[in-house]
């Protein structure tokens, strides 16, 4: 897998995940500064990995998913970034984001390393999407080749709607 930032190649820490893999465990911080592990989540889940909520491309991505979540059925959507939990809570509150759960990987970089999305050169997460079924099996993976571009929304929606 090759990922770029503004056209320049970047190095991702961790292993690239594939459809059929089990979602690896991770620990991130919720907005109230308490830890959240994969095991704290249930059912069909969409995990978004973004560099920072407070950038135009990430802003649009999260707003788009926030609007679409209701049409996906019984699916939870999480967004992981390196933003501090306080900043995530502020941004989500200011932008009416109430259908997407923001979590921070700032402390241990556990999500980034578990999913192969931690960008060594930037100290941020690459843009990626993982759809995980109720058995923690990955049913859809997209590492967006250029960090500044959007994921394939329709493919993610289809994968989330059909995951069990």
């Amino acid at each position: 897998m090759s990922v770029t930032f503004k056209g320049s190649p970047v190095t991702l820490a961790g292993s690239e995940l594939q459809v059929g893999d089990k979602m690896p465990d991770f620990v991130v911080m919720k907005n109230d500064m308490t830890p959240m592990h994969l095991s704290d989540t249930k059912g069909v889940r969409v995990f978004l990995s973004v560099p920072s909520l407070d950038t135009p491309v990430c802003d649009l991505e999260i707003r788009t998913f926030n609007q679409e979540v209701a049409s996906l059925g019984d699916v939870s959507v999480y967004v992981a970034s390196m933003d501090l939990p306080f900043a995530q809570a502020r941004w989500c509150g200011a932008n009416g984001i109430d259908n997407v759960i923001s979590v921070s990987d700032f402390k241990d970089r556990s999500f980034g390393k578990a999913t192969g999305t931690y960008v060594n050169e930037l100290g941020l997460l690459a843009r990626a999407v993982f759809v995980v079924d109720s058995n923690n099996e990955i049913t859809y993976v997209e590492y967006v080749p250029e960090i500044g571009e959007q994921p394939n929304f329709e493919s993610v929606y289809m994968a989330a709607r059909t995951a069990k």
Side-chain angles (χ1 to χ4, degrees):
M1 158 191 51
S2 174
V3 173
T4 60
F5 178 70
K6 296 183 179 180
S8 298
V10 294
T11 309
L12 302 179
S15 298
E16 179 180 356
L17 299 176
Q18 306 286 331
V19 169
D21 288 347
K22 287 288 188 182
M23 183 69 168
D25 193 22
F26 56 81
V27 61
V28 289
M29 300 303 282
K30 296 187 291 186
N31 288 170
D32 65 2
M33 291 296 290
T34 59
M36 183 188 93
H37 296 263
L38 176 65
S39 60
D40 296 324
T41 68
K42 303 289 181 224
V44 176
R45 292 139 295 164
V46 176
F47 291 100
L48 309 172
S49 169
V50 301
S52 175
L53 302 182
D54 209 13
T55 62
V57 176
C58 299
D59 178 288
L60 177 61
E61 179 180 348
I62 304 315
R63 288 175 187 270
T64 302
F65 275 103
N66 190 64
Q67 291 173 347
E68 195 66 29
V69 168
S71 76
L72 300 179
D74 192 18
V75 175
S76 299
V77 179
Y78 297 86
V79 59
S81 73
M82 297 299 285
D83 297 304
L84 293 175
F86 316 110
Q88 289 180 334
R90 178 195 48 76
W91 184 88
C92 288
N95 291 287
I97 305 299
D98 50 11
N99 297 321
V100 174
I101 301 159
S102 62
V103 293
S104 178
D105 202 24
F106 86 97
K107 189 170 182 229
D108 299 316
R109 293 151 182 78
S110 173
F111 183 87
K113 291 175 182 172
T115 59
T117 57
Y118 182 75
V119 180
N120 288 333
E121 293 86 349
L122 303 174
L124 298 172
L125 300 180
R127 191 174 315 281
V129 180
F130 308 92
V131 177
V132 179
D133 70 12
S134 58
N135 296 312
N136 290 332
E137 183 175 316
I138 298 171
T139 62
Y140 177 87
V141 175
E142 181 181 357
Y143 290 91
V144 179
E146 169 55 50
I147 292 173
E149 295 178 0
Q150 297 290 350
N152 184 329
F153 292 109
E154 290 305 318
S155 293
V156 176
Y157 302 155
M158 177 79 68
R161 287 184 187 114
T162 59
K164 303 270 186 252

